[in-house]
């Protein structure tokens, strides 16, 4: 019996747990799990970045010129405080404390990054091309890599 004949029959046979084939299948399944996990993490990261870009899109909707770095810092400071109204509304309605704490923690981390850390990641609105691309953006996550991002700090 040739190699093809053996391969055809081997698909239906059980694999011995200590065989090379079992090791190959195990490695393959581990790799597929890792790839799926990385893909899910990428999707979550892209979704968060898309939400942030939508906020900046709404903030600069009527602007058709490039911003200065000082204007961009002011916009980043407003961006950090974007959830203040939502926190106040949640506190007034006596909503879940978990959601309130989550938003407050997010603000604390972003404020720390903005004032003393690595900076807050914002789209590079110092270039007119980016401002126009952001205005024309339809919210598609596939177009996220087209936007150049900057890290802005409170102090230059």
């Amino acid at each position: 019996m040739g190699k093809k004949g053996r391969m055809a029959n081997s698909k239906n046979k059980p694999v011995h747990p200590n065989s090379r084939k079992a090791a190959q299948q195990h490695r393959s399944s581990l790799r597929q799990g890792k790839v799926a996990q990385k893909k899910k993490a990428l999707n979550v990261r892209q979704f968060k970045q898309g939400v942030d870009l939508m906020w900046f899109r709404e903030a600069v909707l009527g602007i058709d010129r490039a911003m200065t770095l000082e204007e961009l810092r002011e916009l980043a400071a407003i961006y950090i405080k974007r959830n203040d109204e939502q926190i106040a509304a949640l506190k007034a309605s006596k909503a879940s404390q978990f959601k309130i704490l989550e938003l407050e923690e997010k603000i604390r981390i972003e404020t720390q990054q903005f004032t003393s850390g690595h900076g807050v990641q914002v789209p590079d609105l110092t270039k007119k091309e980016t401002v126009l691309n952001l205005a024309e953006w339809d919210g598609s996550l596939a177009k996220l890599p087209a936007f150049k991002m900057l890290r802005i700090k409170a102090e230059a």
Side-chain angles (χ1 to χ4, degrees), residues 84-102:
D84 287 347
E85 293 175 4
Q86 186 178 4
I87 290 172
L90 288 172
K91 284 182 179 179
S93 69
K94 307 231 188 241
S96 169
Q97 286 293 317
F98 177 75
K99 185 67 175 171
I100 295 169
L101 290 174
E102 185 180 24

Side-chain angles (χ1 to χ4, degrees), residues 67-78:
M67 301 176 87
T68 64
L69 277 176
E70 192 56 41
E71 290 173 329
L72 198 54
R73 279 192 188 92
E74 291 171 10
L75 187 61
I78 295 169

